[in-house]
Amino acid sequence: MIDMHSHLDLYPNPLAVAEKTNECNSFTLAVTTSPRAWQATSRIFSPYKNITVALGMHPEIVQQKVGELDLFLNLIPKVKILGEIGIDGSTRNNGNFQLQKKIFVTILIEAEKFGGKILSIHSRGAGEIVLKNIMKYSKNSRVILHWFSGTIEELKMAISLGCFFSLGPAALLSRRGRELAAKIPLDRILPESDGPFAMVNGKSIFPWESKQIHQSIANIHKIPERQISIQIKKNFDRLNES
Ligand code: MN
């Protein structure tokens, strides 16, 4: 089982969740929200071989974390995966939109200097600007759009740019979520939980539950779940190639 986007350090009992995640999942990407959180989380999760901690700078808290940008840039050479990074275009984050954009672009440019990275990207309400910057700056990075919720046009652009899409059970709850998912090529889909924030029936989703999307995707495409599982494993291997 694979979870490409989990806030593993933010569950009420992170060590117990990490322990079980490490047992149940062959790979879990623990995204972080700031470089200091990456430092602490990397230390705490270092015994767990099936958990990789991604270096993050969450767009919704850039105002508080902008002082850590230099630290972030200095840590880039040490990691293979960056996330959660991106831009949030929600009204409540309008006030720091320019700052978000500046930080996102700075990170994309720096990542290219080291041959590109795997990027787990937040693009809520900002699909177009995120994709334009990926097109401009991220020639060598492999992009995973996490919980993509953009327009059909933006989806087409993302597909043409070669992006992967990490989808979780919560993203497939709404009809719109399933409609978007139906338009994503099967060879670009990866599972995520986005827990503990993402919830189903009022309960946080755990990393070992991200596999629920296999059945949902199988239903959407009317093909056996086993075929989806095989495809997702292939997608994961391709993401990690090169
Ligand atoms: Mn997230």
Side-chain angles (χ1 to χ4, degrees), residues 38-236:
W38 177 83
Q39 288 176 318
T41 306
S42 301
R43 261 195 308 275
I44 295 166
F45 291 167
S46 61
Y48 303 121
K49 299 303 164 212
N50 297 330
I51 297 171
T52 294
V53 183
L55 176 64
M57 184 73 122
H58 198 289
E60 293 186 89
I61 54 167
V62 288
Q63 200 79 55
Q64 299 97 288
K65 304 294 180 186
V66 61
E68 295 182 37
L69 181 59
D70 284 342
L71 175 62
F72 188 107
L73 300 176
N74 288 331
L75 290 171
I76 286 179
K78 289 189 161 198
V79 300
K80 188 179 169 197
I81 310 185
L82 306 182
E84 180 164 358
I85 58 169
I87 300 177
D88 189 286
S90 312
T91 321
R92 67 174 184 280
N93 293 308
N94 267 352
N96 58 30
F97 192 79
Q98 289 308 320
L99 179 64
Q100 290 189 54
K101 190 182 147 194
K102 186 173 158 249
I103 289 176
F104 180 58
V105 168
T106 303
I107 291 171
L108 294 184
I109 292 171
E110 193 67 15
E112 283 301 291
K113 291 185 192 162
F114 297 93
K117 300 284 175 181
I118 294 173
L119 314 175
S120 181
I121 295 184
H122 175 117
S123 59
R124 180 170 54 212
E128 190 179 349
I129 190 162
V130 161
L131 292 168
K132 279 187 173 163
N133 283 295
I134 288 168
M135 185 159 64
K136 196 165 170 192
Y137 298 112
S138 299
K139 302 271 182 284
N140 295 304
S141 288
R142 278 144 289 160
V143 172
I144 309 164
L145 295 169
H146 130 73
W147 198 331
F148 179 79
S149 59
T151 64
I152 298 296
E153 282 311 304
E154 289 163 357
L155 179 69
K156 283 182 189 161
M157 184 178 174
I159 293 167
S160 74
L161 287 172
C163 298
F164 287 88
F165 300 82
S166 58
L167 295 175
L172 298 174
L173 283 178
S174 70
R175 199 215 297 199
R176 186 177 139 70
R178 290 192 298 274
E179 280 169 1
L180 265 182
K183 294 187 165 62
I184 299 174
L186 288 176
D187 65 357
R188 302 292 183 86
I189 294 176
L190 293 163
E192 70 168 33
S193 65
D194 200 22
F197 301 118
M199 295 188 175
V200 173
N201 298 327
K203 285 190 195 138
S204 287
I205 299 162
F206 288 97
W208 52 86
E209 296 173 322
S210 55
K211 199 190 173 192
Q212 289 168 7
I213 73 139
H214 291 200
Q215 185 63 60
S216 314
I217 301 288
N219 293 344
I220 289 170
H221 289 275
K222 299 187 171 56
I223 54 176
E225 184 183 349
R226 198 182 127 67
Q227 215 172 309
I228 301 293
S229 301
I230 292 167
Q231 183 62 54
I232 282 177
K233 174 75 174 67
K234 277 189 197 162
N235 299 350
F236 179 75

